[in-house]
């Protein structure tokens, strides 16, 4: 009965796209939609969840933006809601980047700083462990295993600045990383706020022991996380 009442009175429409848009994915394996991940869209300035999409794949994102453009296009100004977006903060997903480059060519895409560091740390550790496995020198193997000991002591290392084209994360995402240093209202554009929303979404899912009905899941998340969203009669 509670579910029937909720489904009857809670129908939350998507909100207009903001000037600064944050995107992130969330693992939703039990959804009745054929996708393991949903996609959250948030206003970076206000923290309001704009919409939740049942899929994060490029094909669905293209469909969503195409539909939004068609739905909001003005023949008088020759613009749509997509033209309002000035910045897009993403987690270094190639799908996210290519989609917004296609539909919002004037928007500045920013790579989330946490994911940049995460990628670099992961790549560094992969190289470190590979060198440890292949070196015959037990002393060098120990240093590579306990590299924090070296970094935390006064060891003279070669720190001459050099540009290395083999660091693909930096070269492939150079402009987006530079864009991420943009500051708005005293805050650097990043995905920290939407990541906190992700944790709140996970708590909702845990409390409910999961959801299968995506439409209900979407409405439940928006109803709980957005203060202004409410039921209708």
């Amino acid at each position: 009965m509670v579910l029937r009442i909720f489904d009857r009175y809670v129908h939350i429409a998507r909100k207009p796209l903001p000037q600064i848009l944050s995107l992130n994915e969330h693992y939703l394996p039990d959804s009745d939609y054929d996708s393991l991940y949903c996609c959250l869209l948030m206003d970076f300035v206000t923290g309001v969840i704009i919409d939740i999409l049942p899929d994060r794949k490029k094909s669905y994102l293209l469909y969503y933006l195409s539909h939004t453009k068609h739905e909001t296009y003005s023949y008088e100004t020759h613009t749509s809601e997509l033209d309002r977006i000035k910045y897009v903060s993403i987690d270094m997903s190639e799908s996210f980047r290519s989609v917004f480059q296609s539909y919002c060519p004037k928007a500045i895409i920013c790579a989330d700083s946490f994911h940049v560091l995460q990628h670099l740390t992961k790549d560094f550790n992969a190289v470190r462990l590979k060198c440890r496995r292949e070196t015959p020198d037990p002393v060098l193997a120990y240093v590579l295993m306990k590299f924090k000991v070296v970094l935390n002591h006064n060891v003279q290392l070669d720190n001459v600045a050099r540009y290395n084209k083999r660091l693909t994360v930096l070269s492939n995402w150079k402009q987006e990383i530079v864009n991420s240093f943009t500051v708005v209202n005293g805050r650097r554009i990043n995905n920290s706020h939407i990541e906190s929303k992700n944790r709140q979404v996970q708590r909702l899912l845990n409390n409910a022991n999961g959801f299968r009905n995506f439409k209900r899941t979407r409405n439940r998340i928006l109803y709980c996380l957005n203060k202004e969203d409410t039921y209708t009669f």
Side-chain angles (χ1 to χ4, degrees), residues 4 11 14 17 19-20 29 51 54 83 85 113 128 138 159:
R4 286 200 293 270
H11 304 281
R14 76 167 187 86
L17 294 173
Q19 291 187 341
I20 308 178
D51 204 353
D83 295 298
I85 302 176
S113 56
R128 177 178 62 85
N159 289 322

Side-chain angles (χ1 to χ4, degrees), residues 1 7 9 17 27 30-31 35 38 40 50 82 101 117 124-125 130 143 165 182 193 199 228 232-233:
M1 177 63 72
D7 290 344
Y9 293 108
L17 294 173
Y27 188 53
D30 297 326
S31 171
S35 176
C38 64
L40 277 66
I50 302 300
L82 302 185
Q101 283 177 338
L117 292 175
F124 172 78
N125 281 329
K130 181 176 184 296
V143 171
K165 294 183 179 180
T182 302
H193 198 168
R199 290 190 289 273
E228 302 299 324
T232 57
F233 291 104

Side-chain angles (χ1 to χ4, degrees), residues 221-232:
I221 294 171
L222 293 173
Y223 182 81
C224 292
L225 266 60
N226 290 340
K227 294 182 179 179
E228 302 299 324
D229 287 340
T230 186
Y231 55 86
T232 57

Side-chain angles (χ1 to χ4, degrees), residues 20 44 87 110 178-190:
I20 308 178
F44 173 79
Y87 298 94
C110 306
V178 172
N179 295 341
S180 72
F181 286 88
T182 302
V183 176
V184 176
N185 297 334
R187 294 168 54 204
R188 178 180 170 186
I189 295 178
N190 59 67

Side-chain angles (χ1 to χ4, degrees), residues 30-48:
D30 297 326
S31 171
D32 56 5
Y33 193 88
D34 186 21
S35 176
L36 292 176
Y37 291 86
C38 64
C39 182
L40 277 66
L41 282 68
M42 189 194 78
D43 186 330
F44 173 79
V45 175
T46 64
V48 171

